[in-house]
Amino acid sequence: VQLQASGGGLVQAGGSLRLSCAASGRTFSTYVMGWFRQAPGKEREFVAAITRSGGSTYYADSVKGRFTISRDNAKNTVYLQMNSLKPEDTAVYYCAAERGSYYYTLSHEYDYWGQGTQVTVSS
């Protein structure tokens, strides 16, 4: 599967952005999807994950209550709605995919990655 992330940009603290990740192929619904982010000088960290059907989601504590992951299997797309953004959310955001039955939170558990989209939150 090939992934294409989009939707990043520059936003003021407290603002919102919605990231999208479009997947190629006809088997999107067989993949667990995740979002990760990497800030300059830091390791890539887990943000959110969603099961194949979209019935279950999981979030890092740092974004819980502010970010929402969702997917539309008919459109082969996963989304990350980001509200109440903070300067510390500034990073390159990556979507990832892995065949599986539940969800994954470690980057090495994902085999497929998008190219990343920059999110910058100004104070």
Side-chain angles (χ1 to χ4, degrees), residues 34-109:
W35 285 97
F36 289 76
R37 66 187 182 186
Q38 188 166 19
K42 295 187 177 182
E43 293 188 353
R44 190 170 298 188
E45 65 174 357
F46 170 77
V47 174
I50 189 166
T51 53
R52 294 176 299 183
S53 68
S56 294
T57 56
Y58 191 78
Y59 299 92
D61 288 343
S62 58
V63 306
K64 201 172 295 182
R66 299 188 298 122
F67 290 11
T68 302
I69 187 172
S70 62
R71 66 189 296 162
D72 185 336
N73 286 344
K75 295 183 178 180
N76 283 11
T77 303
V78 63
Y79 305 98
L80 185 68
Q81 177 67 44
M82 305 185 294
N83 299 330
S84 302
L85 282 162
K86 304 175 181 179
E88 51 263 44
D89 294 319
T90 295
V92 177
Y93 283 71
Y94 298 89
C95 57
E98 179 59 35
R99 291 186 182 272
S101 58
Y102 199 49
Y103 61 78
Y104 307 103
T105 63
L106 301 177
S107 58
H108 69 79
E109 294 175 306

